[in-house]
Amino acid sequence: MSSNADIYHEMIVDYSRNPINYGEIENHDVTFHDSNPLCGDSIDIDMKIDDNKVTDIKFHGKGCAICMACSSVLTEITKGKSLDEARAIEKNDVLSELGLEHLQAVRIKCALLSLKVLKSALYTYIGKNLKDTGDVDKLKEEAANLY
Amino acid sequence: MSSNADIYHEMIVDYSRNPINYGEIENHDVTFHDSNPLCGDSIDIDMKIDDNKVTDIKFHGKGCAICMACSSVLTEITKGKSLDEARAIEKNDVLSELGLEHLQAVRIKCALLSLKVLKSALYTYIGKNLKDTGDVDKLKEEAANLY
Amino acid sequence: MQSTETLFENIRNDFPILKRTVRDNKPLVYLDNASTTQKPNQVIDSITDYYQNHNANIHRAVYALAEEATEAYEATRDKIANFVNIKDRQEIIFVRGTTEAINLVAYAWGRTHIKEGDIVVTTEYEHHSNIVPWQLVTQEKHAKLEYIGMDDNGELILDDLDKYLATGKVKLVTFSLMSNVLGTITDAQKIIEKCKAAGVLTLIDGAQAVPHMKVDLEKLGCDFFAFSGHKMLGPTGIGVLWVRKSVLETMSPFHGGGDMIREVHKYETTWNDLPYKFEAGTPNIADVVGLGAAIDYLTKIGMDNVREHEIELTKYAIEKLSQVKGLHIYGTKDLSKRGGVISFNFADVHPHDVAQIIDEEGIAVRSGHHCAQVLMERLNVAATSRASFYIYNTKQDIDILVNSLNIVAKVFKL
Amino acid sequence: MQSTETLFENIRNDFPILKRTVRDNKPLVYLDNASTTQKPNQVIDSITDYYQNHNANIHRAVYALAEEATEAYEATRDKIANFVNIKDRQEIIFVRGTTEAINLVAYAWGRTHIKEGDIVVTTEYEHHSNIVPWQLVTQEKHAKLEYIGMDDNGELILDDLDKYLATGKVKLVTFSLMSNVLGTITDAQKIIEKCKAAGVLTLIDGAQAVPHMKVDLEKLGCDFFAFSGHKMLGPTGIGVLWVRKSVLETMSPFHGGGDMIREVHKYETTWNDLPYKFEAGTPNIADVVGLGAAIDYLTKIGMDNVREHEIELTKYAIEKLSQVKGLHIYGTKDLSKRGGVISFNFADVHPHDVAQIIDEEGIAVRSGHHCAQVLMERLNVAATSRASFYIYNTKQDIDILVNSLNIVAKVFKL
Ligand SMILES: Cc1ncc(COP(=O)(O)O)c(C=O)c1O
Ligand SMILES: Cc1ncc(COP(=O)(O)O)c(C=O)c1O
């Protein structure tokens, strides 16, 4: 386990004060909200989707520095990706970007809340618009079992 | 505590096989049933009451030797007593008759079940026929807190 | 590897209470295992270690102790999944014991799904905890409670089940996998097969089965399963309810409070993920850890060895007890169909008197209705005496029991 | 007699976990006592002793062990009666904790007595366990749940209560005697007075009060009272519900099962005497014994001394923390109106980040919503950090906490 001194490096502190892609999208094609029942972190993600591509993505909510930094990084990674690429994003794509691979169990939930919301938003969109339900169930399960 | 060898003396064994005052009274003036939730012992007492006097009393039910012996002794003590005398009967009046003063806590409930039923029968009768409620409540409480 | 014989000889050393004497300096002969079992040092020590080194509230906090406590708590969930073969750990809910488990189902599933005119089916040999909750909910819902009868051999009459299922009104069939009075092992496979064909859910009370034989939930195919830790070497105050996920998802929350919520607002609340939705409040963390140690202990012995040991004891006991004049044993004598529980009556002596007299010899047996008054009515007795075995019992224990009955015979002039 | 100062110095020796180091070899500074407390050897040993020497199921059996176990179990009921001044031991029901206690009332009293259009009143600073059960039952019964508001000082606005009572529709007013977030001590006497005048029942959540101050139920005059053992040096998995006899007698049974019945027949059942009617199934016997040991321990210290010690620590902590730039403390500063619970926020740093950084220094504080999201909404924050004290805490603990905040300031460039 990395020590906390390592975890709270400059990038995380900066993102927590100045998150990127923070806000709402008025004419979003899909939106999803979820929260962490244990700590109260709470995240919404809005997306614009055109031609099976995430053309815009924003998040808002309340959370700790870890949650804010990860949400910033995740939305940045997702923007511009195809739906297939977006649903293929994994934990470590987010965590490694911030050097958080060895985060302790309780905090993992802070780090991955936005990824859970993203996956949920994706299956909501796909289920509604693409009617490819078998896969949606898999995605749903993935979201449910993220941590 | 007396040892069990002492407890199961001849009188108890005999009463358990040949209880006295065992049976029902057809034209009883009051009857009451109760059971011991923990062991399943179960006793009914019927009484004839004339002129505020217990002119006849019988019991029936299922129970261990202790319960049967104590029921026998209790009904024998009660028969012929006035209501005031009957309600004044105490634990030790029954227990001492059989040398059971030092019975362990669980078995005390077997020994005193019939006394509880007697007291309950008495307050039922008094409450119904004599309308002296203050006292009935006291008797009720006595029955409830017997052991 | 040690032989099973040495294995069971050494086991007694793990149980400090077995070194005790009671009453007049008599060594303890503990034969009330169907009621609760004794605890090995391994279980007692795990609780002590939890409190001495790791105690904290779980799930919510960031600090080191809370992390350790949460890990220890959740590790037991995985051990349980392994022990009774559950694929999805989210289906495992910690409760106080079998009684709370069944009541949870009666409230959180029953009150939503049982409607007027519906039928819940139980059996004549159930423990009160698998009768009374169903009386309460069927009375509330104007539904009916029906009983699968028992034959004179102590086995269920499954024709009764067919009759009830044929009405098309049955919502749930609930039964114990092993009777706590007769030791009968229920033919669960057959019952579940019939219920599945009729689209009816099944609940198994595993309180007596899980401690004494290998149980495989995946194979059984029931929908609800309950058992208690204290009957399987574990601490008091902890038990398990398992519910098939698809059914669990149709259940309303039971207790409201901390840990079971997602978001609480003044006038509305959303629920936490499974299984936490059903674990409100600070759980019995230390005893969950203790239950984990009990499972480790039993796993090390091997449940097949446990069963074999008990069959041997039961066989011996039935043989010996059958030789006592005036003694009547209830239930089947077919050892493949029964666990290590022997209910008996001794001539016309009331079971309480039997128990009290042999208590003086250091023997702990239960006498009474064993929380199975419906069965007592069926057997037409007020009570029975019951000796029940576990891994630390020996043939010598049975010899002492049988000898003590001579004293009873003498006192009661049999 | 030793002086109170030496008394509290020696106390730490009774708590083995306080000798632990965490993370990078830092001595443990445990400041999450509002969540759960650590256990002294006396409590741990009582559980060990129970399992090593007396373990058996209670109430029903005749044999020696069962007698000893029953005595130990029932002795705790008497200790509780003494500790919080209850006249009638039959009014004391053992439950898992405060959460189960309140849910029991919501089910067994609420579902019988709350009708359409009725009002249940709670407060803005309640723990989820005193909100969610009432949401569930009022929703089911088409009744309403209303909140007594809180002023900026962290105290209840009792005018709200008057307003609700004036409707004539209130069936129950329920509130915690001490807030688990702000430490506010509720003016229970005044609330109960108003409710009694209006013929309305009152429930007190005593989870935070009983461990930290002298509580006298006879004097309070409420109708229901709940608390948890694990927050007062006792084991996890055990708590207490007290209900005034006259009210208890109007309650339906909660869980059905063993021990709570008088006679079970196939289609009807009668109930056991109080309190057993509400204690179905094998109870958490060992932890009841452990709770008894915890009460003995606290009684020996004296609850007035406990309170005094915590006032001193709280005073010191508020002084020191107030000097930290950017740190905001919630709730009243009037020490006579608050317990040893301090919630704070540190500049714009999220409480989780505070907790995680100081965890590295060995400090255990809680961060989050503390199961009080309605209060978080009222305070308009997502979360707070919370330090809460108990008998084994020292001024040095507080110094370490305050120093560690410098590291937070450095990391977050405050
Ligand atoms: C005020 C208050 N009420 C209720 C509870 C719930 O207690 P438990 O989790 O022991 O059921 C707590 C503790 O978390 C509390 O602080
Ligand atoms: C078959 C059966 N079911 C249920 C129970 C109740 O278990 P508990 O008392 O642990 O809730 C028991 C034990 O007494 C039992 O033997």
Side-chain angles (χ1 to χ4, degrees), chain C residues 34-36 96-102 125-130 176-181 205-209 226-231 238 370-371 386, chain D residues 57 60 258 280-283:
Chain C
S35 180
T36 199
R96 180 169 36 247
T98 306
T99 303
E100 187 181 31
I102 297 175
Y125 64 48
E126 294 312 301
H127 189 276
H128 290 160
S129 61
N130 204 14
S176 60
L177 195 47
M178 187 189 289
S179 155
N180 69 316
V181 178
D205 170 350
Q208 292 298 334
F227 60 99
S228 300
H230 70 95
K231 291 185 199 283
I238 193 68
H370 316 294
C371 296
R386 181 186 70 184
Chain D
N57 217 325
R60 274 172 252 135
T282 304

Side-chain angles (χ1 to χ4, degrees), chain B residues 1 3-4 7-8 10 13-14 16-17 37-41 62-66 104 107 110, chain C residues 23 348-350 352-354 356-357 359-360 367-369 373 380-383 411-414:
Chain B
M1 188 171 306
S3 102
N4 296 332
I7 288 175
Y8 287 94
E10 195 142 335
V13 172
D14 285 351
S16 82
R17 292 223 170 88
L38 301 173
C39 68
D41 282 1
K62 292 174 186 171
C64 57
I66 307 271
Q104 68 202 95
R107 297 317 295 291
C110 305
Chain C
R23 302 298 182 205
D348 67 344
V349 185
H350 193 286
H352 281 172
D353 300 317
V354 173
Q356 174 144 7
I357 292 170
D359 165 46
E360 203 70 9
S367 70
H369 54 58
Q373 289 188 329
N380 201 20
V381 296
V411 169
F412 275 84
K413 301 168 194 147
L414 295 179

Side-chain angles (χ1 to χ4, degrees), chain A residues 101-115:
Chain A
E101 293 93 332
H102 303 291
L103 210 56
Q104 68 202 98
V106 212
R107 299 314 297 288
I108 277 282
K109 300 186 185 187
C110 304
L112 296 181
L113 175 60
S114 52
L115 181 57

Side-chain angles (χ1 to χ4, degrees), chain D residues 7-55:
Chain D
L7 177 73
F8 284 99
E9 268 163 29
N10 289 335
I11 274 175
R12 290 180 68 86
N13 293 325
D14 291 332
F15 292 80
I17 207 171
L18 298 179
K19 298 189 182 93
R20 253 204 70 164
T21 58
V22 290
R23 302 298 181 205
D24 207 8
N25 241 331
K26 299 279 165 48
L28 172 66
V29 177
Y30 187 76
L31 296 172
D32 193 17
N33 294 289
S35 180
T36 200
T37 61
Q38 299 305 336
K39 321 302 171 199
N41 284 322
Q42 288 84 338
V43 168
I44 303 173
D45 293 348
S46 74
I47 297 170
T48 303
D49 174 61
Y50 172 78
Y51 285 129
Q52 287 187 340
N53 297 302
H54 313 289
N55 175 63

